[in-house]
Amino acid sequence: MSIIDYKLLTKTRAEEHDADVWGSFYIPPYFERLNLTNATKPTYFIGKRGCGKTMLLKYLSYQTKFSLKRSQIPKNEIENIGIYWRIDTHFCSSMFKRNKSNEEWINIFEIYFAIVIASEICKSLYYISSSNYEHFDHNDLRNIELPELADFGLDIPINLIDLEAYLKAKHRSFSSWISNIEVVKPQAYPPGLSFIHTFIESLKTNEILKNINFYIYIDEIENLLNHQRRFMNTVLKHSQKPFIVNFTSKVFFDENMTIGNESINATHDYNYKDLDELMMENERRSFFSEVFLSNYNLTFKNEDFDLNLVTNETRLNERISPDYQADIIKKIKQKFPSLTLKEHATNAYQLDRIKNRIDSRLIELLNGSNVTLDSFKINNFYPEALLITPFLLERKNNNPDIILKEYTAYHNNQQSKYKDWIHNNLFGALLELYRPFNDHKCPLFSGFEAFFTMANGNLRHFLILCYKTLEINEMFDLDNQNFAIEIQAQSAYEASNALIKEIRTLGKYGEKLRIFTLRIGNIFRALQENPLLSEPEQNQFTINSGDRLLNDEEHKFIEEAKKHSILIEHSETKTKSKIGLDIVDYLLNPIYAPYFNISYRRKRKIELSVEDFNYLINGTETEYKTLLTQLTTYKKSSFLMEQKIDNLQLGFFE
C-alpha cells in the first residue's frame, strides 16, 4: 500500500479545519450572489448539516481574510472584519431560571455577549497587526487609545492591549459567577451593547481605523434559549455599520420577537439566504466534483492542478462555463465509473447465486403451463428482460403465454410492454435480487450519479462516500485512477452504516432519532422485499389519517429529524389530508439507503396514521413489530384486492 497523507481527505467537517481556511476553502458558485461585500444590513444564513455553511463563515472571518498565508491584503479589507462566534450551547443553557426572571437573564446574557464580542474585536486587531496587512502593524496596535471607555467608570483600560487582558479576566470571572450564581455576588461588568458601540466608535477615532466595520456571524442561533434569541433578534433588528450581527441556523426558526413589542422580518431587517437553494443543480454537481478532485489532487500531489482556480473568488466566472463543468463531470465519472441498468442486469445474471435464483423461480412459476424455462432462454436473450420476468409472473393473472409473447416481441425489436416494464421495474428487481446476500456489495450503489443522488445536496455526505471508496481501495492496494464498482458499493454501505451510528450524537433526541431511522428503514426494506408489491422503491411516507392531530412532541420530533436531515420534507399538494393538514411527504435521507439495501431514488410513498407514526418514535419493540406486520400484511391484502378489481395491472413492480 502506498504511504499517503490522508489528513486532508479525512476532514469532512468544518470543525476539523483551522480557523484560518485561506487557500483551503473552495469558493461555492453562489458566493457572489450572497452580496456580502457591501452589505448594509444583516444576513440570515440557512443551511443544513454538511452544506458548507460553517466553512463559509470561517472564510469570512478575520483569521482567514488576514491570513498569514495571504501575501497581499487589500487596504479596504479593514472595512469588513468578520467575527465567527459558535455559541457555547451548554454555557448559554445554564443562564435560565435559578431564582432569576427572564428579564434578569436577558440583561446577564447581554453582558456575556458584550464580553465575548469585545474580546474578539481585540483579538482581531492583534491578528491583523501580525498579518501582512501593510496599513496596521504592532506599533499601530500599541498606540491605540480609547479614552471614551473611561466614561463608564469601571476601571476599564483605555489602551487596547490592556483592554484585552481586562476582558479576559472579566470573562473568567463571569463564568465563575454564572456557575455559582446562587452564592457568588457579581462583579461590575461592562454594560452590554452600549459598551460595544462605544468601543467601536472610539476605535474609529483613530485615523487608521476610521473605516473599520465588524460583521458578527453567530453560528447555530437556534441553540439559544428563547429569551436569548429575542435579545439577539433585537440586536439584529438594530444592526447597522459599523456593527452588524448576522445569524446562521440549520433550519429557519420562526421565533421573530424582540425584547420589546417589535418583531423582525426578512423584508425590512435582514437578507434571507438559504444556501441549499442558492446553488442550482448543475452548479452543485460541478462544485461537489471540484471539492473532491481538488483534495484528491492535493493529496496525490498532482502538479498540473490549479488550486487557485477554486479558491480564488475573483475566478468564479471561469468555473461557470458549460464546457468547464462538463469537463469536471467527465473527470469525476472517470474516477467513479458506473454501469447502465442493462449492464447491471447482465452482470447480475452472470452470478451463479442470482442466475440459479432466477432460473429456479421461473421453473416453479411456469409449472403447469405450456411455457418452459427454455422458452425464455432464446438465442442472445436480454438479461434485463429475463430478470424481471419472475416478478411479472408472481401475479396470478399474468398469463405465461402472454408474458412470453411480450418477451419475444421485445427481443425481436417489436412493440412490447417489456420496454416500459424494464424502465419501471428493473431497478427494484435488481435490489431484490441482491438483497439476500450479506456481502454489502449491491452494485446499484456505485458511480458518481448514485453517490451524488445519495448525498442529496449534502457536500459532507458526498465526500464521505468518496473518501471511504479511496480508503477501501487503498486497503486492497488497488490503482487510484478509478474505483471498481464493487469497491464503490462496499464503500457506500460502510459510509451509510457509519452515518447511522452517528445519529445518536445529534443532540438530546439523538438516540430516539437513530431508533426511528432503523425502524422506518426496516419497514421500507420489508415492503420492498414483498414479492407481491405493486409499488416498488418505497422510501418516503406521509401522515394523512388518524383520530387526532400530531401533538407538540411529535411536531418537535419531526423538526429535529428535518434539522439533522434524517427526513427531507417535500410538499406534494395543497389538498388537505384526513386529519386537516396539507399533505407533506417525508423522504428518508437516501444516504441511509445502502445500509437497508433499499432504493435511494425518490419514487413511492406509504401512508401512515398519526398513531402509526407515534409507534415509530415512542412505541416499544413489540408495538413496532406489530406495526411492521400490519403495514406489510396490509399491502399484500391490498394487492390481492386490486387483482380482482383491475386486470390491467402491469406486473410485480408496476
Side-chain angles (χ1 to χ4, degrees):
M1 182 187 301
S2 57
I3 300 175
I4 300 171
D5 181 6
Y6 280 103
K7 291 181 181 178
L8 186 62
L9 294 178
T10 57
K11 293 180 179 179
T12 59
R13 298 177 61 90
E15 293 80 4
E16 297 167 338
H17 290 265
D18 296 333
D20 176 7
V21 296
W22 184 262
S24 60
F25 174 70
Y26 303 124
I27 309 298
Y30 57 71
F31 187 79
E32 289 183 346
R33 297 197 285 273
L34 293 175
N35 297 320
L36 297 176
T37 305
N38 299 311
T40 57
K41 65 179 181 179
T43 301
Y44 191 157
F45 300 93
I46 305 296
K48 294 183 174 61
R49 296 176 72 244
C51 75
K53 176 177 80 272
T54 302
M55 281 293 285
L56 172 65
L57 302 185
K58 287 190 172 186
Y59 177 73
L60 297 172
S61 72
Y62 66 85
Q63 291 96 331
T64 298
K65 290 298 186 177
F66 294 90
S67 169
L68 296 177
K69 295 178 284 187
R70 194 176 183 185
S71 57
Q72 293 184 329
I73 304 175
K75 183 178 181 180
N76 64 354
E77 202 71 78
I78 200 76
E79 299 175 17
N80 297 277
I81 299 179
I83 293 176
Y84 167 61
W85 182 36
R86 188 182 183 106
I87 295 167
D88 186 336
T89 306
H90 176 72
F91 185 67
C92 288
S93 64
S94 69
M95 289 186 240
F96 187 51
K97 295 186 176 179
R98 295 195 289 167
N99 297 319
K100 298 284 184 183
S101 66
N102 278 350
E103 289 72 22
E104 290 176 298
W105 278 122
I106 288 174
N107 291 333
I108 293 171
F109 182 75
E110 179 179 356
I111 292 170
Y112 172 63
F113 175 75
I115 292 174
V116 170
I117 299 305
S119 295
E120 283 296 322
I121 290 175
C122 292
K123 290 179 186 177
S124 70
L125 292 171
Y126 176 81
Y127 196 93
I128 294 170
S129 71
S130 304
S131 71
N132 293 316
Y133 186 66
E134 297 178 353
H135 309 282
F136 186 75
D137 57 25
H138 281 304
N139 286 330
D140 298 316
L141 182 76
R142 284 192 293 267
N143 292 331
I144 288 182
E145 297 293 323
L146 309 161
E148 290 83 356
L149 298 185
D151 296 339
F152 290 109
L154 299 173
D155 295 325
I156 300 175
I158 63 172
N159 176 269
L160 185 66
I161 295 176
D162 294 336
L163 176 63
E164 182 176 3
Y166 169 87
L167 290 170
K168 286 181 179 178
K170 287 297 182 182
H171 197 170
R172 289 190 291 268
S173 141
F174 183 87
S175 299
S176 178
W177 173 49
I178 294 299
S179 299
N180 304 278
I181 199 165
E182 296 93 341
V183 295
V184 175
K185 291 184 178 181
Q187 296 184 9
Y189 294 105
L193 289 174
S194 62
F195 171 73
I196 291 181
H197 292 308
T198 303
F199 179 19
I200 295 174
E201 289 303 322
S202 191
L203 284 173
K204 291 174 74 70
T205 61
N206 293 270
E207 178 63 24
I208 201 167
L209 300 177
K210 64 181 180 180
N211 295 322
I212 199 167
N213 297 297
F214 293 94
Y215 293 80
I216 315 302
Y217 298 99
I218 303 179
D219 201 5
E220 299 187 354
I221 192 74
E222 69 269 29
N223 289 333
L224 289 176
L225 300 177
N226 284 342
H227 63 276
Q228 296 166 351
R229 177 67 185 273
R230 290 199 298 273
F231 166 75
M232 291 311 311
N233 286 347
T234 306
V235 178
L236 178 140
K237 186 174 185 65
H238 298 287
S239 285
Q240 59 183 350
K241 286 184 177 182
F243 183 71
I244 294 180
V245 171
N246 308 275
F247 289 174
T248 75
S249 63
K250 292 184 180 70
V251 293
F252 182 75
F253 278 76
D254 56 3
E255 173 54 78
N256 61 358
M257 292 304 298
T258 65
I259 56 177
N261 295 321
E262 298 176 306
S263 61
I264 59 172
N265 63 75
T267 303
H268 303 292
D269 301 314
Y270 59 86
N271 296 312
Y272 177 86
K273 302 291 184 181
D274 188 327
L275 301 185
D276 294 309
E277 294 180 357
L278 278 176
M279 203 164 358
M280 294 178 284
E281 196 66 8
N282 65 309
E283 292 177 329
R284 183 177 286 109
R285 288 162 58 85
S286 176
F287 182 58
F288 282 21
S289 303
E290 286 176 319
V291 174
F292 172 75
L293 292 173
S294 299
N295 286 343
Y296 175 90
N297 287 323
L298 283 172
T299 300
F300 291 96
K301 298 178 172 55
N302 187 342
E303 295 182 358
D304 62 354
F305 173 68
D306 184 8
L307 180 63
N308 182 265
L309 177 63
V310 290
T311 59
N312 189 337
E313 59 187 76
T314 65
R315 301 184 66 182
L316 270 172
N317 287 336
E318 299 177 46
R319 297 162 53 200
I320 62 175
S321 74
D323 289 343
Y324 170 81
Q325 293 183 354
D327 184 58
I328 286 293
I329 299 302
K330 179 181 178 181
K331 289 178 179 177
I332 196 76
K333 286 185 175 181
Q334 288 172 345
K335 291 260 178 248
F336 297 92
S338 62
L339 301 176
T340 65
L341 280 181
K342 292 183 179 181
E343 290 171 332
H344 279 305
T346 299
N347 290 347
Y349 195 69
Q350 290 174 353
L351 297 174
D352 288 339
R353 61 188 186 182
I354 290 181
K355 178 181 182 299
N356 294 337
R357 187 181 175 194
I358 291 291
D359 291 354
S360 61
R361 189 62 183 141
L362 278 173
I363 291 172
E364 183 180 348
L365 290 166
L366 295 171
N367 186 34
S369 72
N370 296 323
V371 181
T372 66
L373 174 62
D374 290 337
S375 303
F376 290 92
K377 293 291 189 72
I378 59 180
N379 288 335
N380 300 319
F381 69 88
Y382 298 129
E384 69 269 16
L386 187 67
L387 257 58
I388 68 168
T389 299
F391 303 107
L392 300 175
L393 290 171
E394 286 283 356
R395 297 197 168 194
K396 302 303 181 183
N397 62 329
N398 278 351
N399 186 288
D401 292 314
I402 296 176
I403 294 295
L404 178 59
K405 180 181 178 181
E406 297 291 341
Y407 182 87
T408 304
Y410 177 76
H411 284 80
N412 292 331
N413 294 320
Q414 298 171 352
Q415 184 175 353
S416 169
K417 292 181 180 179
Y418 258 88
K419 184 176 180 180
D420 288 335
W421 288 341
I422 290 169
H423 174 76
N424 294 327
N425 308 326
L426 183 56
F427 192 95
L430 285 166
L431 275 175
E432 171 64 18
L433 291 169
Y434 277 100
R435 188 174 289 116
F437 309 109
N438 296 320
D439 58 5
H440 310 308
K441 293 182 180 178
C442 179
L444 294 177
F445 301 111
S446 65
F448 166 73
E449 295 295 347
F451 277 19
F452 183 78
T453 302
M454 287 187 287
N456 195 57
N458 188 308
L459 177 58
R460 177 178 172 243
H461 288 172
F462 178 76
L463 293 177
I464 288 174
L465 288 165
C466 295
Y467 297 160
K468 182 62 70 173
T469 303
L470 185 55
E471 177 186 322
I472 294 178
N473 206 61
E474 282 285 306
M475 189 184 304
F476 290 103
D477 201 19
L478 299 173
D479 182 15
N480 286 324
Q481 291 305 306
N482 54 66
F483 307 112
I485 297 295
E486 64 176 10
I487 295 292
Q488 295 182 60
Q490 177 70 28
S491 303
Y493 171 80
E494 297 290 346
S496 184
N497 183 33
L499 288 169
I500 282 181
K501 291 179 179 178
E502 183 187 85
I503 294 175
R504 63 169 47 134
T505 67
L506 303 179
K508 64 179 181 179
Y509 282 85
E511 182 58 17
K512 202 170 185 178
L513 288 167
R514 187 185 71 88
I515 292 173
F516 166 79
T517 304
L518 293 174
R519 286 180 172 183
I520 192 68
N522 281 321
I523 285 175
F524 290 140
R525 176 165 58 188
L527 288 169
Q528 292 184 30
E529 285 175 350
N530 186 347
L532 294 180
L533 278 181
S534 60
E535 294 186 8
E537 301 187 57
Q538 292 163 303
N539 55 7
Q540 54 186 337
F541 66 89
T542 187
I543 306 170
N544 68 347
S545 64
D547 295 330
R548 62 176 176 83
L549 297 175
L550 290 168
N551 60 37
D552 290 342
E553 180 194 0
E554 291 159 344
H555 276 297
K556 177 65 175 175
F557 183 86
I558 290 174
E559 290 304 314
E560 284 292 308
K562 286 162 50 183
K563 182 173 78 172
H564 296 293
S565 298
I566 291 169
L567 294 178
I568 292 92
E569 181 180 282
H570 295 279
S571 296
E572 248 333 277
T573 175
K574 291 297 182 182
T575 58
K576 297 289 185 180
S577 71
K578 297 175 184 177
I579 56 174
L581 299 174
D582 289 343
I583 294 178
V584 175
D585 292 344
Y586 297 103
L587 172 72
L588 179 65
N589 194 319
I591 194 64
Y592 304 129
Y595 178 84
F596 299 106
N597 209 78
I598 61 176
S599 177
Y600 53 81
R601 309 190 306 179
R602 185 187 171 211
K603 290 291 183 179
R604 305 294 178 88
K605 64 185 177 184
I606 62 173
E607 296 182 356
L608 298 177
S609 69
V610 176
E611 293 79 12
D612 292 338
F613 182 70
N614 187 266
Y615 281 135
L616 280 176
I617 61 177
N618 294 317
T620 64
E621 196 62 21
T622 300
E623 290 170 330
Y624 161 68
K625 288 180 179 178
T626 301
L627 173 63
L628 174 63
T629 302
Q630 289 174 346
L631 288 173
T632 53
T633 303
Y634 168 77
K635 289 296 181 180
K636 292 180 182 179
S637 301
S638 297
F639 163 77
L640 294 174
M641 290 297 294
E642 288 168 4
Q643 279 198 124
K644 296 176 182 179
I645 296 172
D646 185 3
N647 289 325
L648 297 178
Q649 297 279 352
L650 293 180
F652 168 58
F653 280 107
E654 185 60 271

